[in-house]
């Protein structure tokens, strides 16, 4: 293990610096009240059932709002960091003396039925309130054996317990860049509380001293957030669903956490989601990361999103190739900021990526009350 991988035997639960309660408090403390969106607009945004005409209308009718009012941005950060007070309901998931995730005590009852795969050693030294931790059976020592055994359990539990099976594998690591302990079905990742990583890119155009963002509208057939708005390109760092057991074993042995670098993964996603050729996508600039921690029932999402910017030519028009994006529209950055502040049109974690863009490009200024608190809150999760 590299120096960045530390043993967490005596560490407390690894949760964000800003709880959802704290973010709500910051929201009310630093930002003045803003006008209330009509209920009809809130409902439309919440369900993804809105048109580009709705998007443009709402962004323009609110363009004279106080741009220094950060309240709407704080609210979007809160949506990605819910229920931190419920972290006490989770049990550490430990492999080779490293905490790799957290399992809700209720979900653990399902796992206890599979005694040849999961064990529950009574050892309070890893933290938690239950005097034990979740582990894999000692005979499951090789990454590929662990992948197969846990995958079998996920398959047995089925859609009733873990909905949305996607046949994509997430790597399970102690931190980014470290060797994989095994690979886990993407839909199951939040049920085991593992860290998940993704690449998210904002594509923008500069025209007459003004910046515009390309915004995508997700297909209504998407299993997650159908019809919502996205920034131009995003994708999880996953192993391909068609990999054989030997191929998974080989990729687990590579230095890269998933056998493909973030940059190469971004190039792939750019082509699939927006038809951006390598000649353009290879020019994307890595600009940092955002992170969050969200608890929803048995699900614990601990996500880190690597952020990229790409300055696109004025004559480029994106074209989706994988059927996941319904359409695209080029909008002024100021209007996109209004949409985020005043509606729920965007997919929730995309809000964080675009807010980060607004900071870096000077649209959110230090003179705004709550500037530093909002900046810090974009990395509320464990960013390792």
């Amino acid at each position: 293990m590299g120096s960045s991988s530390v043993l967490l035997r005596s560490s407390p639960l690894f949760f964000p610096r800003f709880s959802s309660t704290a973010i709500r408090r910051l929201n009310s403390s630093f930002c003045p009240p803003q006008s209330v969106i009509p209920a009809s607009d809130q409902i439309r945004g919440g369900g993804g059932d809105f048109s580009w005409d709705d998007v443009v209308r709402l962004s323009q009718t609110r363009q004279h709002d106080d741009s220094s009012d950060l309240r709407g941005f704080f609210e979007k950060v809160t949506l990605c960091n819910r229920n931190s007070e419920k972290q006490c309901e989770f049990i550490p998931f430990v492999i080779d003396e490293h905490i790799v995730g957290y399992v809700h005590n209720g979900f653990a009852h399902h796992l206890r039925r599979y005694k040849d795969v999961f064990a529950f050693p009574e050892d309070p030294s890893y933290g938690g309130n239950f005097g034990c931790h979740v582990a894999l059976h000692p005979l499951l020592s090789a990454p590929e054996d662990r992948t197969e055994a846990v995958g079998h359990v996920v398959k047995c539990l089925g859609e009733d317990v873990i909905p949305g099976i996607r046949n994509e594998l997430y790597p399970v690591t102690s931190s980014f860049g470290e060797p994989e302990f095994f690979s886990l079905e993407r839909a199951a990742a939040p049920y085991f509380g593992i860290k998940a990583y993704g690449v998210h890119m904002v594509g923008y155009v500069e025209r007459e001293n003004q910046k515009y963002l390309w915004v995508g509208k997700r297909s209504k057939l998407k299993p997650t957030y159908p019809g919502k708005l996205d920034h131009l390109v995003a994708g999880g760092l996953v192993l391909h669903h068609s990999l054989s057991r030997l191929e998974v074993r080989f990729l687990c042995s590579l230095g890269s956490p998933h056998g493909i670098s973030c940059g190469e993964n971004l190039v792939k996603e750019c082509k699939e989601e927006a038809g951006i050729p390598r000649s353009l996508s290879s020019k994307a600039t890595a600009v940092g990361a955002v992170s969050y921690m969200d608890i929803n029932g048995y699900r614990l999402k601990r996500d880190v999103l690597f952020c990229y910017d790409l300055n696109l030519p004025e004559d480029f028009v994106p074209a989706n190739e994988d059927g996941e994006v319904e359409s695209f529209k080029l909008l002024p950055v100021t209007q996109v900021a209004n949409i985020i502040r005043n509606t729920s049109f965007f997919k929730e974690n995309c809000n964080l990526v675009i807010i980060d863009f607004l900071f870096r490009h000077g649209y959110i200024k230090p003179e705004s009350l709550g500037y530093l608190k909002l900046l810090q809150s974009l990395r509320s999760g464990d960013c390792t």
Side-chain angles (χ1 to χ4, degrees), residues 178-362:
E178 297 298 332
E180 296 174 25
F181 295 110
F182 71 100
S183 298
L184 178 67
E185 157 63 39
R186 180 174 183 173
Y191 291 91
F192 288 85
I194 70 165
K195 295 175 186 173
Y197 302 89
V199 289
H200 284 236
M201 190 191 80
V202 175
Y204 69 97
V205 173
E206 293 182 297
R207 180 187 298 164
E208 298 178 352
N209 296 319
Q210 186 175 1
K211 288 188 175 76
Y212 296 76
L213 298 189
W214 276 110
V215 176
K217 196 172 192 299
R218 296 164 69 89
S219 167
K220 289 185 172 63
L221 301 178
K222 286 279 288 181
T224 56
Y225 302 98
K228 288 277 196 172
L229 301 183
D230 275 348
H231 45 66
L232 188 55
V233 171
L237 293 178
V238 299
L239 293 165
H240 195 272
H241 70 277
S242 64
L243 292 177
S244 68
R245 178 177 176 180
L246 288 177
E247 288 171 324
V248 169
R249 182 174 187 176
F250 170 72
L251 289 176
C252 285
S253 69
L254 297 178
S256 169
H258 338 90
I260 181 173
S261 68
C262 288
E264 280 301 310
N265 195 68
L266 183 67
V267 168
K268 177 182 73 70
E269 294 291 345
C270 280
K271 186 68 171 65
E272 294 175 358
E273 296 195 352
I276 303 174
R278 178 181 287 270
S279 59
L280 287 178
S281 59
S282 61
K283 298 177 182 178
T285 303
V287 293
V290 298
S291 62
Y292 56 92
M293 189 281 290
D294 185 68
I295 295 175
N296 181 17
Y298 290 171
R299 296 161 48 88
L300 168 57
K301 288 181 66 66
R302 298 195 298 151
D303 291 357
V304 179
L305 311 180
F306 295 104
C307 300
Y308 291 78
D309 286 355
L310 179 59
N311 189 346
L312 289 161
E314 286 190 45
D315 60 354
F316 174 79
V317 178
N320 179 249
E321 297 185 0
D322 62 7
E324 295 189 355
V325 183
E326 179 182 286
S327 56
F328 296 93
K329 195 168 189 65
L330 188 65
L331 296 170
V333 173
T334 51
Q335 290 187 20
V336 175
N338 283 337
I339 294 166
I340 290 176
R341 287 193 303 138
N342 298 313
T343 79
S344 56
F345 288 171
F346 271 95
K347 180 172 175 280
E348 290 166 1
N349 62 0
C350 292
N351 288 318
L352 305 188
V353 176
I354 298 176
I355 292 171
D356 182 68
F357 179 93
L358 296 175
F359 270 107
R360 291 183 289 97
H361 289 260

Side-chain angles (χ1 to χ4, degrees), residues 68-237:
S68 67
D69 179 3
L70 305 184
R71 182 183 178 89
F73 297 141
F74 273 108
E75 290 173 351
K76 298 310 184 291
V77 174
T78 301
L79 289 176
C80 289
N81 294 276
R82 298 171 298 172
N83 301 318
S84 61
E85 68 278 4
K86 296 184 179 180
Q87 58 186 320
C88 59
E89 299 175 5
F90 288 79
I91 306 171
F93 180 24
V94 179
I95 300 178
D96 296 343
E97 298 187 314
H98 290 265
I99 297 179
V100 298
Y102 296 93
V103 176
H104 192 277
N105 184 50
F107 184 75
H109 290 310
H110 294 293
L111 305 183
R112 291 180 186 273
R113 295 157 40 197
Y114 300 91
K115 299 184 183 301
D116 56 341
V117 179
F118 294 100
F120 292 81
E122 293 184 357
D123 181 357
S125 60
Y126 290 101
N129 294 330
F130 299 94
C132 67
H133 62 269
V134 181
L136 295 180
H137 192 283
L139 292 180
L140 297 173
S141 57
E144 67 274 15
D145 293 333
R146 293 166 173 169
T147 297
E148 185 173 358
V150 177
H152 176 72
V153 172
V154 170
K155 183 177 180 180
C156 290
L157 291 176
E159 290 280 337
D160 289 340
V161 178
I162 302 176
I165 299 297
R166 303 174 68 164
N167 295 316
E168 295 177 337
L169 295 175
Y170 267 168
V172 178
T173 67
S174 58
S175 60
F176 186 75
E178 297 298 332
E180 296 174 25
F181 295 110
F182 71 100
S183 298
L184 178 67
E185 157 63 39
R186 180 174 183 173
Y191 291 91
F192 288 85
I194 70 165
K195 295 175 186 173
Y197 302 89
V199 289
H200 284 236
M201 190 191 80
V202 175
Y204 69 97
V205 173
E206 293 182 297
R207 180 187 298 164
E208 298 178 352
N209 296 319
Q210 186 175 1
K211 288 188 175 76
Y212 296 76
L213 298 189
W214 276 110
V215 176
K217 196 172 192 299
R218 296 164 69 89
S219 167
K220 289 185 172 63
L221 301 178
K222 286 279 288 181
T224 56
Y225 302 98
K228 288 277 196 172
L229 301 183
D230 275 348
H231 45 66
L232 188 55
V233 171
L237 293 178

